[in-house]
Amino acid sequence: MSHIFPRHTKATPPTVAYGKGPHLYDTTGKRYLDGSGGAAVSCLGHSDAAVTDAIKAQLDKVAFAHTSFFTSDPAESLADALIAHAPEGLERVYLVSGGSEAVEAALKLARQYYLEVGQPQRHRIIARRQSYHGNTLGALATGGNMWRRTPFAPMMIETTHIAPCYEYRGRTEGESAWDYGQRVADELETEITRLGPETVMAFVAEPVVGATAGAVPPVEGYFKRVREICDRHGVLLILDEVMCGMGRTGTLFACEQDGVRPDIITVAKGLGAGYQPIGAMLCSGDIYAAIEGGSGFFQHGHTYIGHPAAAAGAGAVLSRLIDDGLLSHVAPMGERLDAALHDAFGQHPHVGDIRGRGLFRGIELVADRDTKQPFDPSRAVHKALKKATFDNGLICYPMGGTIDGQSGDHILLAPPFIIEDADIDELVGILDKSLRQVLG
């Protein structure tokens, strides 16, 4: 009998034994291709010696020193490396232990910033429907996924949500992609005006939407318009790159491809590549200067922030991505994966859309390709697919509620950056077999 409190009490997962490259093995010897990197985490696969050696070396020096007393060389070096490659204007790094913590830190810093600069009335947060920003209460309240929010709604801060930039579902007939992007971006200005510009603190968005909608990229010009609106009204732009950042879309920071500079950005998942729990919030020099020139104290913190061993591991991950060139592998292999998906499923009667950037790809499933009619939620197609693919030796990330938190099904793919042609063939082959088993 296990004493673990599992994610689901009515399912008993196999026990993982070891990992090698893009594969995981359970204690029976069964092999699984990690086609989603867990939850877009394992960007380097499961046996990167450079990362494990860096962690071991740090453990031989010191495992932990509380940041109220010490900084550490690994934390300082990691912050230097992040800022060296971050969007212009970002100057400081606040290390945490994961994505939800990073988002909570970003929200609290945004609030404290406005207190420090004498605008205490600014406290409202605007985000987008079908977004996901974490499971702690502030992050959950910011996210726009109703299925996740509803049970805890009485405990959450008030936030408001505008339409996502979701071209497959949102662009109307005869409307150009550019005009569509400008139209949905302009919803932000409408909402700021409705709430009162002097009360709005921040707009929070994922550059490429991850878990809740399945690798949905913005159309060209959308985020530049968002940046203009935020600047006009003095609203901070917080970009959540916990899932889509750290090279996943082909550039270290996903927002690079949209030519936009945030005031605050959050990263996690791929930053540690699964080797240690770590995340980070990066903020602009202006925000840091307001704290430094005011109270001098960010009223926030967790026990394990800046953990030396975690920082050493993340530093090695960044070195593998940048110095060893693994980041340059993402775009070409992403194109290879995209081509393979289109070849296999581009005319599939139940595949409505294949989308994404780099090695961050989504497949939206539909009951009717012509009308985009989703499957009846009672069929729980995503759950059946998750079981079928796993039984067949593929780990992927199917989810339901793609459209509105209730209707729609998609599959999210986020394989390790070390993936090769043979792995892509294996992934697509297992996915094809599983789709035939579930959908006929």
Side-chain angles (χ1 to χ4, degrees):
M1 172 183 159
S2 173
H3 291 94
I4 286 289
F5 196 137
R7 282 178 173 259
H8 200 303
T9 62
K10 302 186 188 307
T12 303
T15 300
V16 67
Y18 66 97
K20 185 176 182 181
H23 294 92
L24 288 166
Y25 297 78
D26 69 21
T27 49
T28 71
K30 183 176 177 179
R31 187 181 82 163
Y32 305 82
L33 176 62
D34 194 356
S36 61
V41 173
S42 299
C43 60
L44 298 182
H46 298 282
S47 54
D48 194 292
V51 181
T52 56
D53 287 349
I55 295 167
K56 291 174 185 177
Q58 182 57 41
L59 290 175
D60 286 337
K61 297 175 182 176
V62 61
F64 171 73
H66 199 279
T67 52
S68 66
F69 302 103
F70 295 98
T71 186
S72 69
D73 286 338
E76 296 288 344
S77 296
L78 175 59
D80 289 346
L82 284 169
I83 293 303
H85 296 91
E88 183 181 357
L90 297 180
E91 297 182 6
R92 294 285 174 160
V93 176
Y94 189 89
L95 295 175
V96 293
S97 298
S100 296
E101 279 190 29
V103 172
E104 290 284 334
L107 298 175
K108 291 177 77 174
L109 180 61
R111 172 58 179 164
Q112 187 170 337
Y113 166 73
Y114 282 114
L115 291 176
E116 301 275 3
V117 299
Q119 299 182 48
Q121 71 278 11
R122 288 190 184 265
H123 67 283
R124 297 187 182 278
I125 300 164
I126 303 172
R128 303 187 296 184
R129 295 189 293 275
Q130 281 308 91
S131 59
Y132 178 64
H133 298 293
N135 257 333
T136 49
L137 285 175
L140 187 63
T142 301
N145 184 261
M146 295 311 296
W147 174 77
R148 288 175 169 86
R149 288 170 51 92
T150 299
F152 309 102
M155 305 168 64
M156 295 191 301
I157 58 173
E158 179 185 353
T159 56
T160 62
H161 298 85
I162 61 173
C165 188
Y166 185 2
E167 185 181 10
Y168 175 67
R169 291 284 174 184
R171 182 158 69 97
T172 60
E173 187 176 353
E175 184 178 36
S176 70
W178 175 274
D179 288 342
Y180 165 66
Q182 300 302 291
R183 173 169 63 82
V184 290
D186 284 342
E187 286 195 22
L188 174 59
E189 185 144 46
T190 300
E191 184 63 6
I192 291 172
T193 301
R194 186 186 73 84
L195 294 172
E198 72 285 352
T199 71
V200 179
M201 179 176 80
F203 176 62
V204 185
E206 301 162 272
V208 180
V209 180
T212 56
V216 179
V219 297
E220 184 181 356
Y222 171 80
F223 272 110
K224 285 188 176 179
R225 177 64 174 155
V226 163
R227 177 76 266 184
E228 292 171 2
I229 293 167
C230 288
D231 288 343
R232 182 179 305 122
H233 297 288
V235 173
L236 297 180
L237 175 59
I238 300 175
L239 293 183
D240 177 356
E241 297 204 1
V242 166
M243 183 171 267
C244 65
M246 294 295 97
R248 174 57 59 188
T249 65
T251 49
L252 191 64
F253 291 89
C255 63
E256 294 176 46
Q257 297 173 50
D258 296 293
V260 66
R261 179 194 61 79
D263 300 293
I264 299 174
I265 198 166
T266 60
V267 295
K269 296 188 183 290
L271 177 62
Y275 290 86
Q276 287 279 280
I278 193 166
M281 173 197 71
L282 287 67
C283 73
S284 71
D286 290 343
I287 292 175
Y288 182 80
I291 306 296
E292 183 183 37
S295 66
F297 171 64
F298 179 28
Q299 194 172 327
H300 186 58
H302 294 276
T303 298
Y304 286 105
I305 63 174
H307 192 280
V317 170
L318 275 184
S319 180
R320 292 284 285 133
L321 294 179
I322 297 165
D323 301 332
D324 295 343
L326 285 180
L327 180 57
S328 65
H329 198 58
V330 175
M333 293 310 293
E335 292 175 3
R336 167 76 173 82
L337 175 59
D338 184 58
L341 292 173
H342 276 89
D343 285 347
F345 310 118
Q347 300 304 315
H348 194 289
H350 296 303
V351 171
D353 193 30
I354 301 171
R355 54 184 177 245
R357 290 179 178 172
L359 287 171
F360 199 43
R361 300 287 167 174
I363 302 171
E364 184 162 340
L365 303 170
V366 292
D368 188 293
R369 180 185 174 92
D370 293 331
T371 65
K372 304 182 182 180
Q373 177 68 29
F375 285 102
D376 188 318
S378 65
R379 283 193 61 176
V381 167
H382 61 285
K383 293 181 180 179
L385 268 172
K386 183 176 182 179
K387 182 180 187 305
T389 53
F390 193 70
D391 289 347
N392 291 327
L394 172 66
I395 299 169
C396 59
Y397 200 149
M399 283 293 294
T402 311
I403 301 168
D404 55 10
Q406 296 181 333
S407 298
D409 302 271
H410 69 265
I411 303 165
L412 183 67
L413 300 171
F417 301 171
I418 59 170
I419 197 168
E420 300 293 349
D421 286 348
D423 303 315
I424 289 177
D425 292 341
E426 180 184 2
L427 186 159
V428 173
I430 295 175
L431 193 54
D432 181 45
K433 176 183 177 180
S434 304
L435 282 169
R436 284 188 276 109
Q437 289 174 341
V438 172
L439 301 178

